[in-house]
Amino acid sequence: MKVSTIPLPSPLSLWTTVRGVGPFNVACSLAALWAFGKVLRALRWRLKTTQLRGPPRTSFIYGVSHDLASSQDSGEMYERWATEYGVAYMIPSVLGQTRIVLCDPRAIAHFYARETWTYVQTPLSLTLLEASMGRGLLWSQGEDHKRQRKALTPGFSNAAIRKLTSVFYDSAYKAKGAWDTAIESSKDGDAVIEVQNWMSHISLDTVGIAGFSHDFGSLDGKHASVTEVFDTFGNNQQASAVNKALLLLASAFPIITKIPTKRRNLMKKLSITMGEISNDLLIRSRREKDSVNMSRREEEKSIIGLLIKSEGQDAELRMSKEEVVAQMKVLLVAGYETISISLTWALIELSRHPDVQTSLREELLAFGADPTYDQLKASLPYLDAVVHEILRLHPPVGEFIRLAAADDVIPLSEPVRTISGEMTDSISIGKGTLITISGAAINRSSAIWGPDAKEFKPDRWLTEDGISGKAKEVQGHRHLLTFVDGPRTCLGKDFAITEFKTVLSVLVKNFVFEMRDGLDTPVEIARGIFPRPRVVGEDGIGVPLRVRRYE
Ligand code: HEM
């Protein structure tokens, strides 16, 4: 039998055809193909995804994203919508995109169990994370994330943090020394101290020494280039309307992040500065690792020491030099801003609640000596309660958006009404769905934490009934989403809580804090890399407190 073959066009004939058709027609055909693909994907998404109710768009272009981005408390908006539309709902986002918001403990637990595999970073997050920190732990997903996390984990073990506790105390006592001097030189016996700046110095020097055996010296008044860049972000509050619009539109078109805006230039500067610091530290630590001097070798117990070790024999955990540098950037960003924000909020809330401040001081003074790592964990219940109440009310990172990389079905603990009016106790998620979880909304939800959810009440942590039944359904450290949950749960959680407790205990034992302009001084949210508190009317991220010695 004769098999007829269809002759393939030669490259030359193809080129001739393309030339004949003309570039305009080729461009039109490609655009039509792209649009067709988009329509097909949208149709598939509609078929595969439960269509839920939700708030109407307030802007044709941004949906409700602009309202959320400019709100002082997006958590409150998410909570209000949950009351109206149920524990899972849809919000209109930029350029016709839709996001599903989960406010249900069962759904959230299901979601976090599938993080980095079914639910992954959005293209915009990937672009921004890579530009600022490289392809480190926060950027990686799936198997790659698992490998990187395994290599870093020993640096955060209980034994490792127990050893680092003295570093936390050293930073706290340096700040105490400087504040003593400031108070002594004032004739009124007190001083107005801009505490946010000091909390940043404490957290930067601590993460430098504990993470890489590098003293940034910011508590000794040294200028650290990394703080300059972070501060520029913090002081860059009045981002122009154009910049804000570009950032929002970038969620639909990540390529927009390549436009050289002021924010992008700052991100670039941040990356270069952190890259330089990381490189210097890497070279020094390698030199020390090779040194025959045993006391030097002991420094390998710092987080970077362990990272560098992972460059060695164990092929499974092997990381490239770029990855090691990226992890150092991740540690700097994760360990610097978050703790500094939490400590600042703690000093604000203690100034607003003098009774809580007094009770905390009484517990610390009754305890006597500076508590050890194990005592900080188990022997100071009121300190523990204050710290967790701050972490609940003021999570430094309040909201996460992820993309479904595969179809899924998410179970709910209570049914919700769909757009067509039926009740459902699970929602189908089509590949490509954007999912939002607001830790701030869940941590402060009255439906979950009870009617006093918005109040600063450390006592709730002291009794079994202080935490309501619904809150107990929230999975995550102490039923909070502050450190999230699942494979991406904060690796530095024990580091963070120990540092938080150490610094707070030294400061509250030795000083009394008051809002400079009275108990009711309003505090607002200023937007830097992370949202930070700021006393209304202050420049940048100023939080001035009146501080006197406790005698
Ligand atoms: C109050 C302080 C802190 C809070 C509230 C916090 C919160 C978080 C959150 C929410 C994440 C998840 C990020 C995401 O999924 O995109 C995270 C991840 C991470 N945090 Fe923290 N963090 C704190 C302090 C620290 C400190 C002090 C360190 C290190 C010294 C640290 C190291 C990390 C690392 C390495 C990750 C990445 C984990 C992964 O992707 O597997 N964090 N943190």
Side-chain angles (χ1 to χ4, degrees):
M1 192 176 75
K2 191 172 176 221
V3 180
S4 66
T5 54
I6 303 166
L8 284 172
S10 73
L12 189 68
S13 67
L14 258 181
W15 173 237
T16 319
T17 316
V18 167
R19 260 201 336 183
V21 169
F24 178 73
N25 286 352
V26 172
C28 285
S29 312
L30 286 176
L33 258 178
W34 177 81
F36 184 61
K38 270 241 164 229
V39 170
L40 276 188
R41 273 199 299 277
L43 281 176
R44 181 187 186 279
W45 176 80
R46 238 175 199 285
L47 279 174
K48 293 272 178 183
T49 309
T50 309
Q51 298 300 306
L52 297 166
R53 300 176 311 149
R57 62 180 61 247
T58 51
S59 148
F60 180 68
I61 297 175
Y62 304 118
V64 293
S65 295
H66 194 272
D67 303 352
L68 284 166
S70 5
S71 161
Q72 276 286 306
D73 185 359
S74 60
E76 188 274 327
M77 291 176 75
Y78 286 119
E79 188 187 356
R80 190 157 27 87
W81 289 330
T83 315
E84 200 170 341
Y85 303 108
V87 293
Y89 55 88
M90 274 179 169
I91 56 170
S93 183
V94 177
L95 297 179
Q97 289 181 332
T98 302
R99 286 194 256 148
I100 288 188
V101 182
L102 301 178
C103 294
D104 176 59
R106 186 160 176 220
I108 292 172
H110 173 98
F111 169 92
Y112 278 126
R114 285 152 188 80
E115 254 261 76
T116 89
W117 300 92
T118 306
Y119 299 105
V120 297
Q121 300 280 17
T122 62
L124 174 63
S125 301
L126 286 176
T127 311
L128 292 176
L129 287 170
E130 187 177 4
S132 55
M133 287 176 265
R135 299 186 164 198
L137 200 56
L138 284 169
W139 177 88
S140 61
Q141 335 227 48
E143 216 38 80
D144 202 21
H145 174 263
K146 209 166 144 188
R147 173 183 59 85
Q148 292 196 21
R149 186 156 171 129
K150 203 166 163 191
L152 270 167
T153 298
F156 292 96
S157 67
N158 283 3
I161 307 302
R162 185 176 288 112
K163 282 204 194 92
L164 293 177
T165 307
S166 61
V167 176
F168 307 151
Y169 274 121
D170 287 349
S171 296
Y173 274 108
K174 272 193 181 173
K176 175 191 172 291
W179 291 7
D180 279 341
T181 313
I183 293 168
E184 269 161 31
S185 59
S186 82
K187 43 182 193 318
D188 309 329
D190 63 20
V192 171
I193 293 176
E194 198 294 279
V195 293
Q196 184 134 251
N197 214 4
W198 279 97
M199 296 308 109
S200 293
H201 292 340
I202 290 178
S203 60
L204 181 68
D205 285 6
T206 303
V207 78
I209 296 171
F212 336 105
S213 314
H214 172 85
D215 189 356
F216 285 104
S218 65
L219 283 163
D220 303 315
K222 271 195 216 154
H223 172 82
S225 50
V226 68
T227 40
E228 187 199 339
V229 183
F230 277 108
D231 287 353
T232 321
F233 257 107
N235 292 327
N236 185 30
Q237 307 304 324
Q238 306 313 330
S240 71
V242 176
N243 269 357
K244 270 190 196 160
L246 286 178
L247 200 63
L248 284 171
L249 292 173
S251 65
F253 300 109
I255 193 140
I256 288 179
T257 55
K258 308 275 183 223
I259 296 174
T261 57
K262 197 171 170 194
R263 197 181 169 90
R264 177 158 193 265
N265 292 340
L266 274 176
M267 287 286 268
K268 219 166 159 183
K269 199 169 167 200
L270 178 69
S271 178
I272 293 169
T273 308
M274 293 206 299
E276 282 166 5
I277 294 165
S278 310
N279 259 324
D280 283 354
L281 298 173
L282 196 61
I283 292 166
R284 198 164 44 81
S285 302
R286 281 216 188 104
R287 206 181 301 134
E288 285 169 8
K289 181 183 153 199
D290 295 339
S291 152
V292 281
N293 183 331
M294 282 311 285
S295 65
R296 281 289 197 197
R297 279 192 172 191
E298 267 165 25
E299 288 183 17
E300 284 182 31
K301 301 208 172 59
S302 75
I303 297 166
I304 180 60
L306 282 146
L307 273 176
I308 292 169
K309 245 171 140 186
S310 75
E311 282 185 308
Q313 314 306 329
D314 193 340
E316 194 209 343
L317 302 182
R318 204 182 173 89
M319 276 198 266
S320 66
K321 177 173 170 273
E322 286 69 31
E323 274 177 356
V324 175
V325 172
Q327 307 308 8
M328 295 170 75
K329 291 182 187 174
V330 169
L331 290 191
L332 264 179
V333 172
Y336 167 51
E337 287 255 320
T338 48
I339 287 282
S340 147
I341 293 170
S342 297
L343 280 165
T344 307
W345 271 118
L347 296 181
I348 292 174
E349 291 295 7
L350 290 175
S351 303
R352 284 165 158 178
H353 299 88
D355 51 330
V356 176
Q357 192 181 148
T358 305
S359 303
L360 177 58
R361 188 172 301 108
E362 277 168 6
E363 181 185 78
L364 293 165
L365 290 172
F367 191 82
D370 283 338
T372 61
Y373 168 77
D374 296 286
Q375 290 165 338
L376 283 168
K377 260 186 163 11
S379 308
L380 292 148
Y382 202 65
L383 175 64
D384 187 75
V386 170
V387 161
H388 283 90
E389 188 64 350
I390 294 293
L391 292 171
R392 184 185 72 81
L393 265 186
H394 305 291
V397 205
E399 179 182 333
F400 295 89
I401 304 176
R402 296 288 191 259
L403 181 79
D407 296 344
D408 191 22
V409 176
I410 299 185
L412 302 173
S413 64
E414 53 185 272
V416 292
R417 194 176 295 283
T418 66
I419 213 159
S420 54
E422 295 142 28
M423 298 302 284
T424 178
D425 55 10
S426 67
I427 48 175
S428 301
I429 301 289
K431 182 179 168 179
T433 307
L434 289 167
I435 306 271
T436 292
I437 292 179
S438 164
I442 305 295
N443 282 0
R444 297 196 286 252
S445 154
S446 306
I448 295 178
W449 285 85
D452 60 358
K454 312 281 184 294
E455 291 166 40
F456 176 68
K457 272 195 172 173
D459 283 3
R460 77 177 79 239
W461 295 95
L462 298 175
T463 56
E464 256 306 294
D465 336 324
I467 298 176
S468 77
K470 191 83 177 164
K472 285 190 182 136
E473 288 171 26
V474 179
Q475 288 185 26
H477 172 78
R478 306 281 280 272
H479 312 296
L480 299 176
L481 288 184
T482 309
F483 297 105
V484 301
D485 194 25
R488 258 195 212 287
T489 190
C490 174
L491 192 50
K493 188 182 65 200
D494 198 26
F495 183 119
I497 293 173
T498 311
E499 180 179 354
F500 195 170
K501 288 184 175 177
T502 309
V503 175
L504 204 58
S505 69
V506 171
L507 297 183
V508 172
K509 219 155 66 167
N510 288 285
F511 301 102
V512 178
F513 298 91
E514 283 167 32
M515 299 303 288
R516 183 193 58 192
D517 303 321
L519 273 186
D520 299 327
T521 306
V523 175
E524 64 184 353
I525 299 296
R527 299 206 173 267
I529 292 183
F530 297 110
R532 277 181 175 271
R534 164 179 54 189
V535 164
V536 171
E538 289 297 310
D539 288 338
I541 46 170
V543 178
L545 298 186
R546 195 169 296 285
V547 183
R548 64 183 158 83
R549 284 201 53 80
Y550 177 78
E551 325 272 11

